Amino acid sequence: MGRATGDSPWSNEYDPPLEDGTVPTPKLRKLEITANEAFDTYREMYYEGGVSSVFLWDLEDGGFAGVVLLKKSLNAGSLTEPSGSWDSIHVFEAAERGRQAHYKLTSTIMLSMVHRGAKVPKDEKEKEKIEATRDGDTEQDHPLQEQTSHITNIGRMIEDMEIKMRNLLQEVYFGKTRDVVFDLRSLDDLEKARRQRELQRELVGFMKR
Amino acid sequence: MRAFVWQLGKLGFVWQFITLAGLHSNGYISDLFAKQFATEGMKAYVELIQRREREIGCDVLTHQKWSGADYVDNLMKTVTGGVSSTAAMGKGVTEAQFAQSLSKKGSSSSSVNRLFAVVRNLHCLFNAPRIPPTPSEAIAMDAEERIQAASRFLLQSPPGEINDVLNDVRNIISDDDTLQAGILPALRDYNLAQFITAEVPGHQHQCIVSEAARVPKVAKAPKVVSPKVPDEVPVAAEPSPEGESAGDVEGEGAAEVEGEKPVVEEGAGETDDVVVEAEAEAEAEAEVEVQEDIPVPAEEPAAPAPIPVVEETESSENDVDRFWDPRTRTSFRFDHLTLEASDPEPVEPWEESEPFRVALETSALTYLSAHFHDGVISVFSTQDNLERFTVQLVANKYNPSNFWSGRWRSEYIVDLTNRKLEGRILVNVHYYEQGNVQLATTHTVSMELPPTITSANATGSASKILALIEKEEARYQMSLNEAYQEMSDKTFKGLRRALPLTRAKLDWDRVLGYKLGAELSANKGGFGAA
């Protein structure tokens, strides 16, 4: 991402200054400002904190592309509090076709959560950590009334994508790792279970005669 | 319409067959699918069915039980007597395969598979504390930095996937020779830390290859001369306090290391530098702590001598580690690249601590078969401490066709002198179907040994110790459930809510109407508790 290092979408300046750093055309820049404000609201509603950035750039064939970045971190106040971080990277392309626009969206969510046993607050090493990444992509067409419709359309696509991925991560992925742990070690005594089954078989054998 | 089902239920109608709903839901989706299939072929399946299943979290899509794979797997296991392709660990599994892949210059897997593997593993590696280099950056780094980066990746491989990680790393580094030479230390560290298991040559079972199992590296006796004892002959002839060890020692000859009686060594080998410097009677080191007292031998991994690749050559014998299995009293050479054990030699255990060690091992094996499906356990005694034992357990499950793998490692140190049982449990799980999740847990254990546990009463004490271990591991496994619950409920919500406080999705048109964001941040208190 060319402008990612040190460029701020809020001030449109590079930090440290970059002579030939690409900046969007004035028309796109206007859209970029509005997009940042809109996603700022989105961020506040869903993340109640965190940081968001939107970068847009022009494409050779007339359309434009952009990236929406969202980041939230939970820093544990003490060793017993949970901590974690969520990072969203949404990259999209928009192509205008008359009164419609065609969008492609590719998203990656990176999630990390650390849980520390409350019983041993002094022990730094005591913890469970889950880290996950998940991709998704979609291609959709939406009506285009004015330039700001782009933001509405992309905003809705990203919102739906994040909801879907969050649900998947929470339900499928976390549940699955837990299942594997219980697959590795059995709480019940396997030998006892085996002996019981054999006893059952014997008894059934007796009954059949 | 909404209520009659439950109302009927209250009246006592327990079984209610809604066949109409079943028939028509089938008809509906079949009609929809067939029509789209006619024009779009299998793409219709992905779009209409699979993607939707995924979106709504439909159990059938991801849960093994619906496909019958588990059931058939159990059938196969019963029929074949315990070996089945999806559940087996060992030679066929990814861990052993990379050795072949490294020797093949062009991998035979299709480019699509490789692409998936790269994407999957790079995402997995994104979670590493250090940012991995991009391909162009990797080329710009010098050979040393590239090897270090590659080593870092390898050390973070999920259970059973070091093969895949190595393949991906090869693509980035694009210099197989440098890679092969430089990553050997990382491979060794990884294997030892992960309690890699080895098939003991000449026996039918597996043992754990870890730092506790290592025999200190020794060059051939004629080549290196120890400052303290020039050759082993005087030592061999030295009368041992036990008396009967002399006979065993004489039979060993000049070459090998491990045949020596520990009792002999305890007298002669007290000064540590003797043990290391090519001393023929150097014995198995049981504890990492003990090893720290010993000066690092000259032939450490970073030696400039070229390290052998896949093909083991005889001249490299000295650079390859030797480990031992207390249960069969065998030491062997272990190649960290091919994961193969070879060149077995008999080892005599330390007599005084052996009865307790055996008792501990017997109880441990019972514990293993009671709670682990595919586990390996090894119990080591300590060289200079008759009252200190290490119990190591590893259980692996690999299921690449269903995109998951897991590893449970436990290690316990029994110290009869200080009356302590200390240890740790480490669990790693990797699930990577259309995404990537890794679980890593660390749990430390520390407890006092009850007075009834003594070295005199070996059998009784051993089973009591394993009972303590069992209780602790069961308790920990249960507490993992709670940890999951908390992470899923509180932590997740703290990162990102499922829906905003309004309980509805965002109204984007309104958002564009005015700048809500700034107002919201200013009025945070107005929304009440988050």
Side-chain angles (χ1 to χ4, degrees), chain B residues 22-40:
Chain B
L23 172 68
H24 283 282
S25 56
N26 280 335
Y28 166 70
I29 194 63
S30 303
D31 190 277
L32 210 60
F33 177 57
K35 284 187 175 129
Q36 197 163 329
F37 187 85
T39 51
E40 305 209 24

Side-chain angles (χ1 to χ4, degrees), chain A residues 120-186:
Chain A
V120 216
K122 299 176 291 200
D123 188 347
E124 289 204 344
K125 289 207 215 125
E126 176 85 29
K127 64 180 180 194
E128 289 86 38
K129 180 167 77 159
I130 292 189
E131 292 178 322
T133 60
R134 164 103 192 153
D135 296 329
D137 51 5
T138 179
E139 243 179 276
Q140 296 173 19
D141 292 293
H142 291 286
L144 190 67
Q145 283 105 18
E146 59 211 328
Q147 278 299 293
T148 48
S149 305
H150 280 306
I151 298 175
T152 313
N153 296 336
I154 290 168
R156 288 205 183 109
M157 283 171 72
I158 286 180
E159 184 177 22
D160 288 341
M161 178 72 84
E162 286 204 337
I163 287 175
K164 190 173 80 174
M165 303 232 264
R166 186 194 185 280
N167 284 342
L168 264 169
L169 281 168
Q170 187 171 27
E171 264 130 61
V172 176
Y173 288 83
F174 287 16
K176 184 69 188 182
T177 58
R178 184 208 155 277
D179 289 347
V180 174
V181 174
F182 278 76
D183 223 358
L184 286 171
R185 185 184 184 280
S186 157

Side-chain angles (χ1 to χ4, degrees), chain A residues 94-114:
Chain A
E96 295 181 17
R97 292 170 190 175
R99 302 227 55 95
Q100 277 230 326
H102 183 75
Y103 302 95
K104 288 190 225 175
L105 172 67
T106 301
S107 305
T108 301
I109 308 280
M110 297 188 284
L111 177 60
S112 159
M113 299 206 286
V114 178

Side-chain angles (χ1 to χ4, degrees), chain A residues 15-208:
Chain A
D15 172 28
L18 193 61
E19 277 302 315
D20 56 349
T22 27
V23 283
T25 56
K27 173 176 153 213
L28 198 60
R29 170 64 189 150
K30 196 155 156 260
L31 195 63
E32 189 181 74
I33 293 172
T34 317
N36 270 291
E37 284 166 0
F39 275 99
D40 193 40
T41 306
Y42 174 81
R43 180 200 44 72
E44 193 57 41
M45 298 292 270
Y46 277 101
Y47 295 84
E48 296 173 327
V51 181
S52 63
S53 296
V54 182
F55 294 94
L56 302 178
W57 59 92
D58 302 278
L59 292 174
E60 316 237 333
D61 60 0
F64 69 95
V67 62
V68 176
L69 303 165
L70 291 142
K71 185 179 182 71
K72 173 85 185 279
S73 299
L74 273 181
N75 294 313
S78 70
L79 270 177
T80 51
E81 276 171 30
S83 64
S85 73
W86 168 296
D87 283 83
S88 293
I89 303 176
H90 303 279
V91 184
F92 64 88
E93 262 181 42
E96 295 181 17
R97 292 170 190 175
R99 302 227 55 95
Q100 277 230 326
H102 183 75
Y103 302 95
K104 288 190 225 175
L105 172 67
T106 301
S107 305
T108 301
I109 308 280
M110 297 188 284
L111 177 60
S112 159
M113 299 206 286
V114 178
H115 173 266
R116 293 182 196 270
K119 304 172 195 77
V120 216
K122 299 176 291 200
D123 188 347
E124 289 204 344
K125 289 207 215 125
E126 176 85 29
K127 64 180 180 194
E128 289 86 38
K129 180 167 77 159
I130 292 189
E131 292 178 322
T133 60
R134 164 103 192 153
D135 296 329
D137 51 5
T138 179
E139 243 179 276
Q140 296 173 19
D141 292 293
H142 291 286
L144 190 67
Q145 283 105 18
E146 59 211 328
Q147 278 299 293
T148 48
S149 305
H150 280 306
I151 298 175
T152 313
N153 296 336
I154 290 168
R156 288 205 183 109
M157 283 171 72
I158 286 180
E159 184 177 22
D160 288 341
M161 178 72 84
E162 286 204 337
I163 287 175
K164 190 173 80 174
M165 303 232 264
R166 186 194 185 280
N167 284 342
L168 264 169
L169 281 168
Q170 187 171 27
E171 264 130 61
V172 176
Y173 288 83
F174 287 16
K176 184 69 188 182
T177 58
R178 184 208 155 277
D179 289 347
V180 174
V181 174
F182 278 76
D183 223 358
L184 286 171
R185 185 184 184 280
S186 157
L187 274 176
D188 302 320
D189 190 329
L190 295 171
E191 281 298 332
K192 259 194 215 144
R194 255 171 245 146
R195 284 198 292 270
Q196 263 185 349
R197 279 199 297 272
E198 277 172 23
L199 186 64
Q200 268 177 354
R201 247 175 267 141
E202 265 188 60
L203 288 173
V204 169
F206 278 130
M207 285 185 339
K208 281 211 179 117

